[in-house]
Amino acid sequence: MTDRPLVGIDDIDRAAERIAGVAVRTPLVTCAVPQRRPGTLLIKPESLQPIGAFKLRGAYNKIASLDPEQRGRGVVASSSGNHAQAVAYVACTLGIKATLVIPEGAAEIKIAATRAYGAEVVLVPPDQRDTKPLELAAEHGYTLVPPYDDPAVIAGTGTIGAEIAADLPDVDLVLVPVSGGGLISGIATAIKTRCPRARVIGVEPELAADAAESFRRGQRVEWSPELTFRTAADGLRVAVVGELPWLHIQRYVDDIVTVTEEQIRDAVRLLARSARLVAEPSGAVATAAHLAHPELSAGGTTAAVLSGGNVDPAQYIEILRG
Amino acid sequence: MTDRPLVGIDDIDRAAERIAGVAVRTPLVTCAVPQRRPGTLLIKPESLQPIGAFKLRGAYNKIASLDPEQRGRGVVASSSGNHAQAVAYVACTLGIKATLVIPEGAAEIKIAATRAYGAEVVLVPPDQRDTKPLELAAEHGYTLVPPYDDPAVIAGTGTIGAEIAADLPDVDLVLVPVSGGGLISGIATAIKTRCPRARVIGVEPELAADAAESFRRGQRVEWSPELTFRTAADGLRVAVVGELPWLHIQRYVDDIVTVTEEQIRDAVRLLARSARLVAEPSGAVATAAHLAHPELSAGGTTAAVLSGGNVDPAQYIEILRG
């Protein structure tokens, strides 16, 4: 599988044309950091996308690339989180049938949000979350929309990097949350092409640090759910980075660092107070890394990607109370 | 004074060139409204400006228009809120001396924020808040930067309307918070020029509804601080709309409506959950009007201006708890 071609900047530029008018062209938002440290922190708030997360970009680029016959048959995806809402939203926008495989026990609010976009929800035992979509695809001819291990999805997320490069060509450091690796793959491809001097660093919770360990070892390492499910950052619990993302990470990413749960909570509070943005814990890890690891930015200009803002209201209040 | 010329679209276009790269080009953010009402609500989040409020646009346009001699002498402004931070921030950016007259008793956090930008703070008894800046201007040759009753300030706020018109040419309704009237003056000028079919409606708290009463009566009416200070929307307690704003309101604004304190709180919660944006109560009144007065939008596309996100953390948590 290691000979799969990497996504290129042309793929990202085509994705940018495709998603224009559907995805929000997010600005860079200044975030004043306490203690007047040298350097500047700017937030790329993907939380402002219609479904509240960056996933819209990849899902739209993938689904809008399908031919009329594929569109007519519909799409299927497996997710209990933002990817489910992204696929359901995009399918609704394009008038395509969507089936979402969601593991039993997922938050009722997320299931309801997915159904609200008109998608069919198939609840399965958690151990069928990866096999059931393949069965449904084979049975009905649905096209599978993977959450990260897919070139069209990666090219879609790459538009975030292209926008950062256009708005902030002198950026020194781009910090990106890492889960399955699709987000950082696209962003790193765009940044290393357009701003080759800039560094791109991934961020994971210390409690779900499979990608950081993989990066250190030079090979993909899997962490069990017993480990990854300890973090409150529920969007970053993927056991191992995807194959195609791993190729991009090896090629383009400078490092992967970790942050503690308390640092994530501090970042959620800072984003509310200093950038006026609502962040989910997973979305705040890049900002947390800027606070926790000041040596990374070395006083330069840092762009931290805020990947999503879909946080349970009670959990959000609990975090804000500190 | 009624022969003062109105601000025109050319003034707004020049302001847009001036503020480019300083003010954030804010996107329109989708806000899903409960109960699936017909129509679409989009938020214009001026809370994402560097100081957390739209005031940056007007202050920058005013101060950047000064000639070198005026710049050398410095600027003075009177405010206990977002205008103070805007003037201090802009002066800091341009390397100009700023003096801020702040009434005694203002929130310590706002005084500190103003000083953090290097501005000199002069604390005065509340009844000297309007006279002291004039004294300082006469004594030191400072240029006064008014919060709303000024053509350059109004042209700066007009850039918000020009951006809405560019991004959403088919907008049906634009809802705008009203305090001194500078914000709605600029926005209404731009919208009525570029999207003449769209309606522009101002929004005030029911407890500080001097502009709504003025609009009904066809003449400026002043409300006492005993009345206006009842609302939690501390940015909307101005006693009476400014003279120059009033001329724009009479010419361009279709109506001014009011919302209750509970409707404002509901809107702050909705903005956090459905648009992932932190709003101060004053900033949320336009969204509150969309929720409270569904007949205004008639199922069309509404843009609600979120004017600022500088809310005390404890107050914000209290509102989110509902």
Side-chain angles (χ1 to χ4, degrees), chain A residues 41-157:
Chain A
L41 175 63
L42 295 160
I43 309 298
K44 181 72 170 168
E46 290 299 302
S47 48
L48 303 184
Q49 297 297 344
I51 59 140
F54 77 96
K55 292 281 186 185
L56 180 65
R57 296 185 189 244
Y60 190 85
N61 191 47
K62 174 77 176 179
I63 298 173
S65 311
L66 300 181
D67 65 36
E69 199 195 316
Q70 291 170 315
R71 290 191 185 207
R73 288 198 297 263
V75 295
V76 63
S78 171
S79 165
S80 58
N82 290 330
H83 181 58
Q85 290 184 58
V87 171
Y89 177 90
V90 169
C92 177
T93 302
L94 294 171
I96 291 174
K97 175 177 161 64
T99 304
L100 272 302
V101 175
I102 298 184
E104 290 161 0
E108 200 54 52
I109 189 172
K110 297 200 173 178
I111 298 173
T114 306
R115 284 199 174 114
Y117 294 123
E120 184 185 345
V121 170
V122 178
L123 293 172
V124 298
D127 64 351
Q128 292 177 27
R129 60 182 301 165
D130 293 332
T131 52
K132 190 70 178 176
L134 299 174
E135 284 173 29
L136 291 169
E139 187 177 346
H140 302 283
Y142 299 155
T143 299
L144 182 68
V145 183
Y148 45 82
D149 201 342
D150 182 276
V153 171
I154 291 174
T157 69

